[in-house]
Structures are given as C-alpha cells and as structure tokens.
Amino acid sequence: MKRYLLAGSALLALGVTAASATEVQLRILETTDIHVHVVDYDYYQDQASVTVGLARTASLIKEARKEVSNSILIDNGDLIQGNPLGDYMAKERGLKAGEVHPVFKAMNLLDYDAGNLGNHEFNYGLEFLNESINDAAFPYVSANVFADDGDADPTNDKPLYDPYVILNREMVDATGEKHAIKIGVIGFLPPQITQWDETNLKGRAVTHDIVETAQRYVPQMKAEGADIIIAVPHSGLSDVTAQGRDENATYYLSKVEGLDAILFGHAHKVFPSEDYAGLEGVDVDKGTINGVAATMPGFWGSHLGVVDMTLDVDAEGKWKVVNSTGSTREIYKREGRDKVALVEADPAIIAAVKQEHEETIAFMGKSVGTTSSGINSFFALVQDDPSIQIVTNAQKWYVEKLIEGTEYSGIPVLSAGAPFKAGGRGGVEYYTDIPEGQIALKNVADLYIYPNTLRAVLLNGGQVREWLEMSAGAFNQIDPGKTGEQELLNDNFPSYNFDVIDGVEYRIDLTQPARYSKEGEVVNPDSHRIVDISYQGKPLDMAAQFIVATNNYRAHGGGSFPGLDGSTVIIQAPDENRTVLANYIFDQETLDPSADNNWGFAQISGNVQVVFESTPAGKEVLKTSDAVKYLGEGKEGFSKYGVVFSQ
C-alpha cells in the first residue's frame, strides 16, 4: 500500500478536509489458530506446503509494519497444539525448565505485543502450558478463566492469568510528533474448556461467561487509563440467541460499551468475508461488527488480520477512535486447482525451529504396522468409510477390554468416529490419504489429528438415535420433486461433528428437515432423518443400554450433542484416542481396511440430482460398488460428484 503526503493547501483544493495535527494512525495486527504450524510444512504428507505456516505469515507481518508508523501485533491462541510438532514437544520430547518452545522461538523474533490463550492451550495440562508461555517475550491475558477455590461463589474467584494488560506505547502522528497512548488488551476463551479438558482442569480451574466478564473488566481498564481497548476473544461469530456461557460470543461481545477493536478466532474462518454478510449489524465491506472494527484471520497462518484505526484527541483531551476498518491478508491464492504463494517463508523463522522441526519429521516416520490397501477420507461424508471404521474398531477393541469383569461387562459396546480431514475450509488437499504398505506414526496422526482422550458413555437406544440425528445435520434437506442439482453438504456443519456410530445399522433420510440446529437446539421436533435403525438385525430397542466409545470433547458437551454433557461418562481412559489407534494397529500388525456399510442414505426415487465436492483424487479410487459417481470439475480445485441412490 503506497502512501502520499500532500500539503494542507493541496488537500483543500481537492476538497479534502485536512487531518487534525494530533491525528494518529494505528495498525493492529492479529494471528490466530496457528496450531503449531510454524514451518510451512505438512507433517502428514511429509512435504512442504504454501498454505500454512507462521513463517509465511511473518512476511505479511513485516510488510504490514513497513507501511505504517505505528503498529502492534497480537496472537489469539490455539498456538501450542494442533499438529505433530506440538505433540512431539508435549508428549515425546518434553519441555524442560529454561527451554523455549519452538512457537515462542518464532514469536519472540517477531516481537509480539501480547497473546491470548485459546481452548487448545489446555490440552496438554496446566504445567506444560505454563512452562511454554513463561518464555514468551510478551504478556499473556485470559480474563474469564479463574482458579477453582472450591466454593460456589463466583464473585470471589481469582484470575488464573492476567485478565488484561495495558500497553504503554509511543505513537507518531503525521507531523512526526510523538504521543503517549495506553492500549488495553483483554482476552477471552470458550467457557467450555472445563468440560473439554476436564481431566486437566477439574479442581483447578473454572470459567465465566465471556460477555459478563467483559462488562466487569472494561470499565476497570478505562479507570486505569486505557485510551483504547482491544478485545481478543478466542470465540466465533454467531447471532444465535445468547444462552449464557456461549462458546461463540463475539457478536454479543461487540455490543459491550468501551471496546474499540475485536480480534477474534476459534472458528477457523475469515472475517470480513461474505460468510457473514447476512448478520444484522455486520458490515463486511468495512470490516465491523455493530460498529466495532474486527478481524478473524483464518487458521494455521493462512491469513494476517489487520485493523486500521484513526485516533484523535477530543474536546476533553482524551483519545478517541474517529474511524476504523477490519481486513485480512492471505499467504496464498487459488488459481484453478493450483495454490500460488503470495509471500515467501521468513528464513529467520525457519532457522529458529530447524532442530525441533527435523526431529518431528524423524519421529513421525516410525512404523507401527502395515495396511493391505490404501486408506483415504475422500468420501467419508457420504458413505461408510475405512478411515473412520479403523478408528471405531480400535476404540471398541479398547473399551471391551476395559469392561471385562466389571459391572458393565455384557453391555453392548458401540463406537463413534468422525471424518476429521474432509476438505471443506481446509481445502482440496485436506484429506487423509495413506498408501498401501507401512503405517507410520504420521499416518496414525493423520487418521486422528486431535489429542483427545478416550471416553465411554452409557446411553439407551433412544439417546443413541438422537446422537445420530444431531450428526445428520451435516446434510442439506433434499427436495425429491426437484430435477436440478441440489447440494448435499451443509457448509456450516463441521465435518468433525458428523459422527458415525458403528455397531448399529441405520439409514439417513435426506428428504426430511434436520431435527437439530448446529447449536444442538431441536428445530423440527416432528422430523426424524435416522430411519431403519437396528441392532444385530432387529429394530433398535430405545430402552436398551449401550456403551458408546468416543472422546473427551464429545462426551463432555463438545458440539452440543443431546445427552452428552459429561453426566453419562462411565470410563475416563488415561489414553489418547490416537494412542489407542496406534496400539490397535500394532496389535493387528496388518490391517485389511474396509467399512462394514452400517450406514447409508435412504432411497430417493425419481430424477433427483444430489451433488457434493471432494478432491479430484477421489475419481481414481471410485469403485462400481460406491454410492458415488464423478461428474466433473468443481470450484476452487475441487471436483464435483453425485450421490447414487439406485443401490
């Protein structure tokens, strides 16, 4: 971006009002949801990538800083977990006192001004988190997480971390004069962390509502002299009616008086973008939410968030924001099926983490078994799939061993799994694709990308069916009388919430409306998409008991599934789901990957055309028995496929 300076007389001649002598331009930069993607590298495919990496975002940061006189840089969490480098540091190599975590080696080089904690920061426990962030050369904030003092009185809870920080900065105006400005930064995270990471946080931490916490602290920050206040919520944007302790609270946070900018994240999306054009009070052209400039810069380093604001002194001598905008910049663009880099990786960042990066690659190459054929997730959202079946088989194997000789022995064990890598926002390459032959640790991590720990819940048949009804929200309703193309997949439904439950057989009736909303609310009480549900060839007994193997996220309320709030948990296993998977593969030695076809779509008669997009590589693995046919090229490098209902 070029800047041109004109004399005051020239500005007046052009009909432009001259700027105030004290006017200051401030640029606020945000990164979020890096998930340990420091290097531009895909550890699962063992190759370089132009679509990820703080090393590439660093080049955007340096460019954005050069364009202005005043800037600050803030990270919004989900930083130390999310790819094999994070797991290697936390689970294999460890982090001793005095050692610096590789993400902070990189971030300290970039001179961040502040950081906020995300929900995934707690996946490895408080000790590892605290040992990691104590080497950050910048302050950390998190306003709505408190120490658990054991009483039921939230008013006396003490913050576990600094709720906010006030940065004393010297800003330069257009004439070169310097001004002291106090910038308040306050951070928030999803209150649900105490459920999702109960094992790590029970008895140690409690959380409060994001909006209520902001209403408490923002006036306090003003009283302490903050000229402007930046909110950094690790929370998505939704105008669904607030229920209290909302996971995605950014919309209502924007209405809290006293906030001048919002840097948000968690949703792995981009703001401003057309995805949010329909929300009342949102201006995607200006990048504001209810008048407050905001940005959400994607994930894994894909974008840099930018808030530009103009500050001036009011009649009372106080700084105020007179104009502000939110925008993002990306590290790559799509040209057909190609992904073209827009910036190069910063060599200083690459060099800073070279040792840990190379150690991670070596560690992930260790073999745990073999597979007799390839495993992929190309069509995991539309037909029963081996990439999920392997995971559910492993979980069932593990839980059945755990309950032998206990009071739960003899209760049927079901197992739930979901397609974690299924394209979508992750792009055309975001699929599991394991070739025939050796299965290494990198492949296990590719099949199960999250550090979840295994849980088992005790449910009845009716609750199992409701679980599947919630999962069926992954699909749009199909009109059987329509002859044109109809999109199958609901873009607003994350693939990791599409749970397949193995051990029961069922069909999904796409002609019916979804029973549940994405937030878990019953929106069509008379609708049932799950039909012909049975167990061992007989109609499912809605009163019969079942044990369902799953993970800590789902069992403790993640995804807002009915009946899953932590109260039905009967097994809190010490092992991660992917450790269970690795041990299962090691025990089996050689896998013959196949799906048991326990679920599928109910028949739709007529000339209905139901379409979806997946990777072009899917065309090469289609079989005549698949309920899928190739139709041609899709958008942004994807291919178009159709669902076959004639089987």
Side-chain angles (χ1 to χ4, degrees):
M1 180 175 68
K2 294 182 179 179
R3 290 180 172 272
Y4 298 95
L5 297 179
L6 298 175
S9 58
L11 286 167
L12 293 174
L14 291 171
V16 179
T17 304
S20 164
T22 57
E23 195 172 88
V24 167
Q25 306 296 327
L26 172 61
R27 172 164 288 174
I28 305 165
L29 305 175
E30 180 199 8
T31 56
T32 191
D33 294 275
I34 296 295
H35 285 286
V36 214
H37 288 85
V38 181
V39 181
D40 51 342
Y41 198 84
D42 184 334
Y43 292 100
Y44 306 116
Q45 300 299 320
D46 200 9
Q47 62 186 22
S49 171
V50 302
T51 67
V52 303
L54 181 61
R56 289 184 179 268
T57 325
S59 297
L60 292 179
I61 292 169
K62 291 182 177 181
E63 288 176 3
R65 281 172 164 165
K66 286 179 182 178
E67 296 166 355
V68 296
S69 300
N70 312 297
S71 65
I72 62 171
L73 174 62
I74 297 172
D75 182 72
N76 192 9
D78 275 11
L79 183 67
I80 64 172
Q81 179 281 330
N83 76 3
L85 174 58
D87 293 329
Y88 174 71
M89 290 303 302
K91 298 292 186 180
E92 179 68 16
R93 189 178 190 273
L95 194 62
K96 298 177 183 177
E99 291 183 328
V100 181
H101 194 290
V103 295
F104 292 109
K105 288 183 179 180
M107 295 176 77
N108 289 344
L109 285 176
L110 289 170
D111 196 22
Y112 275 76
D113 291 271
N116 177 49
L117 297 177
N119 53 292
H120 282 289
E121 257 65 72
F122 298 86
N123 289 166
Y124 301 131
L126 286 175
E127 287 74 20
F128 185 82
L129 167 58
N130 294 336
E131 183 58 43
S132 297
I133 65 175
N134 70 9
D135 289 310
F138 50 90
Y140 259 91
V141 293
S142 187
N144 65 318
V145 57
F146 298 81
D148 188 350
D149 57 14
D151 65 29
D153 181 6
T155 64
N156 65 6
D157 289 345
K158 293 182 171 25
L160 202 58
Y161 300 94
D162 291 335
Y164 59 85
V165 64
I166 297 179
L167 306 172
N168 294 296
R169 294 292 184 266
E170 196 171 64
M171 302 287 166
V172 181
D173 65 25
T175 69
E177 185 176 350
K178 297 178 179 178
H179 304 272
I181 297 180
K182 294 180 180 293
I183 303 172
V185 180
I186 182 168
F188 308 91
L189 48 68
Q192 290 74 19
I193 64 165
T194 50
Q195 298 167 256
W196 301 339
D197 271 306
E198 182 186 34
T199 300
N200 294 326
L201 299 178
K202 187 174 184 180
R204 306 187 67 181
V206 295
T207 53
H208 293 184
D209 179 81
I210 290 175
V211 174
E212 291 177 357
T213 303
Q215 291 168 337
R216 169 187 174 185
Y217 281 125
V218 169
Q220 187 172 315
M221 296 169 73
K222 285 289 187 185
E224 292 180 15
D227 294 306
I228 65 169
I229 294 179
I230 303 167
V232 192
H234 195 82
S235 180
L237 177 61
S238 170
D239 65 349
V240 172
T241 303
Q243 303 294 318
R245 294 181 58 81
D246 299 283
E247 176 183 353
N248 297 304
T250 297
Y251 184 81
Y252 295 100
L253 179 66
S254 70
K255 296 183 177 183
V256 174
E257 186 176 353
L259 297 181
D260 299 295
I262 296 176
L263 314 180
F264 65 111
H266 183 57
H268 286 211
K269 298 180 73 174
V270 175
F271 181 90
S273 71
E274 290 303 310
D275 288 346
Y276 299 98
L279 293 183
E280 183 179 354
V282 169
D283 185 336
V284 295
D285 294 322
K286 194 174 182 182
T288 59
I289 306 170
N290 293 312
V292 182
T295 184
M296 174 168 57
F299 58 100
W300 304 347
S302 63
H303 293 71
L304 175 68
V306 181
V307 168
D308 283 312
M309 59 173 54
T310 301
L311 307 176
D312 204 349
V313 176
D314 64 17
E316 298 178 355
K318 295 181 179 180
W319 289 100
K320 65 177 181 179
V321 177
V322 296
N323 190 32
S324 58
T325 60
S327 62
T328 61
R329 301 178 180 187
E330 58 190 357
I331 65 172
Y332 74 98
K333 65 178 179 179
R334 297 181 186 273
E335 292 184 355
R337 290 186 175 179
D338 296 326
K339 296 175 181 176
V340 180
L342 297 176
V343 290
E344 296 299 319
D346 187 322
I349 301 298
I350 299 294
V353 301
K354 182 176 185 291
Q355 180 178 340
E356 294 91 341
H357 169 62
E358 292 178 348
E359 289 175 0
T360 300
I361 293 173
F363 176 69
M364 297 304 289
K366 293 182 178 179
S367 176
V368 295
T370 59
T371 174
S372 61
S373 61
I375 306 168
N376 65 73
S377 62
F378 301 159
F379 302 113
L381 285 169
V382 299
Q383 63 182 19
D384 201 19
D385 188 83
S387 69
I388 300 174
Q389 188 80 53
I390 292 169
V391 173
T392 57
N393 287 350
Q395 293 174 169
K396 184 174 186 290
W397 168 80
Y398 181 86
V399 170
E400 285 180 338
K401 290 197 299 182
L402 282 183
I403 64 173
E404 285 180 6
T406 73
E407 68 271 32
Y408 301 112
S409 181
I411 298 177
V413 177
L414 311 178
S415 187
F420 296 138
K421 296 179 69 177
R425 294 195 294 266
V428 71
E429 296 174 355
Y430 193 56
Y431 294 89
T432 292
D433 188 10
I434 302 170
E436 177 184 343
Q438 181 188 93
I439 298 180
L441 284 175
K442 66 181 180 182
N443 304 129
V444 174
D446 198 24
L447 285 162
Y448 206 106
I449 64 176
Y450 298 108
N452 299 136
T453 49
L454 190 138
R455 296 286 185 272
V457 295
L458 183 63
L459 304 176
N460 61 38
Q463 290 171 309
V464 170
R465 182 179 184 179
E466 292 303 299
W467 185 335
L468 292 170
E469 289 284 2
M470 178 68 187
S471 293
F475 308 111
N476 295 320
Q477 185 179 5
I478 302 302
D479 181 352
K482 185 177 178 181
T483 56
E485 290 185 349
Q486 299 182 64
E487 291 287 342
L488 171 66
L489 301 178
N490 177 358
D491 291 337
N492 293 318
F493 196 97
S495 67
Y496 57 76
N497 278 344
F498 176 61
D499 283 349
V500 170
I501 297 183
D502 275 305
V504 290
E505 298 78 41
Y506 56 97
R507 294 291 175 262
I508 300 174
D509 185 351
L510 297 173
T511 67
Q512 298 300 309
R515 182 171 172 82
Y516 290 92
S517 71
K518 184 167 66 75
E519 289 75 27
E521 300 171 335
V522 176
V523 289
N524 292 294
D526 296 328
S527 178
H528 284 286
R529 285 183 161 181
I530 304 302
V531 297
D532 300 330
I533 186 167
S534 62
Y535 173 70
Q536 294 187 342
K538 298 179 181 180
L540 184 68
D541 182 348
M542 298 299 163
Q545 284 192 317
F546 295 92
I547 295 170
V548 187
T550 182
N551 59 60
N552 61 301
Y553 174 76
R554 183 71 76 240
H556 293 275
S560 302
F561 276 61
L564 299 175
D565 58 3
S567 64
T568 55
V569 173
I570 59 169
I571 293 174
Q572 298 194 47
D575 295 312
E576 291 185 353
N577 295 68
R578 60 184 167 202
T579 299
V580 170
L581 177 58
N583 289 336
Y584 174 74
I585 296 171
F586 188 79
D587 179 78
Q588 300 292 306
E589 296 185 1
T590 299
L591 293 175
D592 179 17
S594 61
D596 59 12
N597 297 312
N598 71 300
W599 77 274
F601 296 126
Q603 178 70 27
I604 301 178
S605 59
N607 191 30
V608 66
Q609 298 180 59
V610 179
V611 300
F612 66 96
E613 289 187 327
S614 186
T615 172
K619 180 183 177 182
E620 307 304 319
V621 301
L622 284 176
K623 304 180 182 68
T624 55
S625 60
D626 285 333
V628 173
K629 62 181 176 181
Y630 174 76
L631 297 177
E633 289 193 10
K635 301 185 293 290
E636 296 184 338
F638 285 90
S639 288
K640 183 190 291 187
Y641 297 87
V643 177
V644 178
F645 292 99
S646 59
Q647 71 276 11

